[in-house]
Amino acid sequence: MESVFEVIAEPNRRAILSLLAGSQQSVGEIERSLRMPQPAVSKHLRVLRDAGFVESTVDAQRRLYRLKPGPFQEFDEWLAQFRRFWSAHIDALERHLEKMDEPTPRKKIVKNAKAKKGEGK
Amino acid sequence: MESVFEVIAEPNRRAILSLLAGSQQSVGEIERSLRMPQPAVSKHLRVLRDAGFVESTVDAQRRLYRLKPGPFQEFDEWLAQFRRFWSAHIDALERHLEKMDEPTPRKKIVKNAKAKKGEGK
DNA sequence: TTCTTATATACGCGTGTCGGCATATACGTG
DNA sequence: CACGTATATGCCGACACGCGTATATAAGAA
């Protein structure tokens, strides 16, 4: 589990992060909110902490977990290289660049294909 | 492979996406650029297409793959719930000033703006 | 101390997924 | 037609991950 992408691939971890986005929570609170066995919560928190998503402070026997910004920034930076693409996707400039950038122009250009649209599996 | 998060958890798939962020590419071009066996490329492209990350058009025997914006928007929306939180360290200053909006602009507002490096453990 | 609460860790199991290889399909050329 | 190119798919082995259960550690209460 090295990359932030693998860490957030897990639905339960994303749920924990969303929960913590509201406010810091103890392990028990997360456990009850998400109805998830406590060892599972602890283990996911361990992964999240190792990846820098969260940090914990001690309150008696409890551990309060809260978010840390680092990995989210990292994710956002990765997304940046595509943001130009999808935000200005209708832009004419985009099409122009696409055409100019076409690597190996064969005889004909596109033939309009439609890949089948089977979503979900 | 149902969620878009699982799809981008794979490093090779992210490499393909980054490549396509530049311009559309054929399978063979991806194969050579990333030095990845062709079946691997096709398999990853299949996953990416099923998840809506890419679409393909037919050019003779080639398939040209290009990005689609959908999933990236989805990431951005997911990130939105945290953006406010982590961007706080970057431009919270402005936000903060906006909020506090003191009637005394003469006061010094900036203390130590940045300096958020290294968390205690 | 002993008991209870709160959290972390260890162990084993099942399953999904990735990589490699072989093969199938599709298109173009001679 | 046969052949080469371009891409897709099927099969299989290996391995990592998440889950459940049991147990360990730690702190407070009695």
Side-chain angles (χ1 to χ4, degrees):
Chain A
M1 194 70 48
E2 40 190 43
S3 82
V4 298
F5 301 95
E6 297 170 29
V7 172
I8 63 172
E10 229 292 320
N12 293 311
R13 284 197 286 267
R14 291 199 303 278
I16 292 176
L17 291 176
S18 293
L19 198 62
L20 294 180
S23 71
Q24 62 175 9
Q25 307 268 332
S26 72
V27 177
E29 288 168 331
I30 298 172
E31 172 190 357
R32 289 184 292 276
S33 286
L34 303 181
R35 294 198 188 110
M36 186 183 312
Q38 177 267 316
V41 175
S42 283
K43 203 172 178 199
H44 285 309
L45 283 171
R46 171 91 151 120
V47 174
L48 289 170
R49 191 176 43 185
D50 287 348
F53 279 91
V54 302
E55 63 185 353
S56 66
T57 61
V58 179
D59 169 42
Q61 315 131 335
R62 314 190 170 191
R63 262 84 174 164
L64 299 180
Y65 282 84
R66 56 208 252 272
L67 295 183
K68 285 181 65 181
F72 297 102
Q73 289 176 346
E74 193 176 329
F75 188 52
D76 196 61
E77 286 165 17
W78 177 80
L79 208 53
Q81 63 186 317
F82 308 104
R83 182 164 293 120
R84 168 185 76 79
F85 164 73
W86 59 258
S87 63
H89 157 259
I90 326 156
D91 204 310
L93 176 63
E94 172 69 21
R95 287 193 187 190
H96 190 55
L97 288 178
E98 249 177 48
K99 269 209 159 165
M100 286 188 57
D101 222 289
E102 188 157 334
T104 330
R106 197 76 179 167
K107 308 179 157 187
K108 304 185 153 175
I109 330 253
V110 250
K111 243 205 270 190
N112 181 17
K114 41 154 192 243
K116 53 168 131 131
K117 199 67 174 63
E119 216 70 3
K121 181 200 144 112
Chain B
M1 194 72 47
E2 37 189 51
S3 87
V4 293
F5 295 95
E6 297 172 27
V7 171
I8 62 164
E10 230 291 321
N12 292 312
R13 283 197 286 267
R14 291 200 303 278
I16 292 176
L17 289 176
S18 293
L19 198 61
L20 295 181
S23 71
Q24 62 176 2
Q25 307 269 331
S26 72
V27 177
E29 287 168 332
I30 297 171
E31 172 189 355
R32 288 185 292 276
S33 285
L34 304 181
R35 292 191 187 136
M36 183 183 314
Q38 176 267 316
V41 176
S42 284
K43 281 181 191 174
H44 286 309
L45 283 172
R46 171 90 150 118
V47 174
L48 289 170
R49 191 176 45 184
D50 286 348
F53 281 90
V54 302
E55 64 186 351
S56 66
T57 61
V58 179
D59 170 41
Q61 315 132 338
R62 312 187 176 189
R63 262 83 175 165
L64 299 180
Y65 282 84
R66 63 161 65 155
L67 294 184
K68 283 181 65 181
F72 297 102
Q73 290 175 347
E74 200 172 325
F75 288 139
D76 200 59
E77 288 165 16
W78 179 80
L79 211 50
Q81 62 185 316
F82 308 104
R83 179 165 293 120
R84 178 163 161 271
F85 165 73
W86 59 259
S87 66
H89 292 281
I90 300 177
D91 62 10
L93 185 57
E94 307 173 24
R95 210 175 285 237
H96 192 57
L97 290 178
E98 216 176 297
K99 233 183 179 180
M100 294 200 67
D101 195 44
E102 285 282 316
T104 36
R106 193 65 183 90
K107 287 287 192 194
K108 56 160 175 248
I109 333 166
V110 184
K111 309 167 103 173
N112 46 354
K114 33 188 282 181
K116 179 65 172 116
K117 257 320 187 90
E119 231 66 6
K121 169 159 194 282

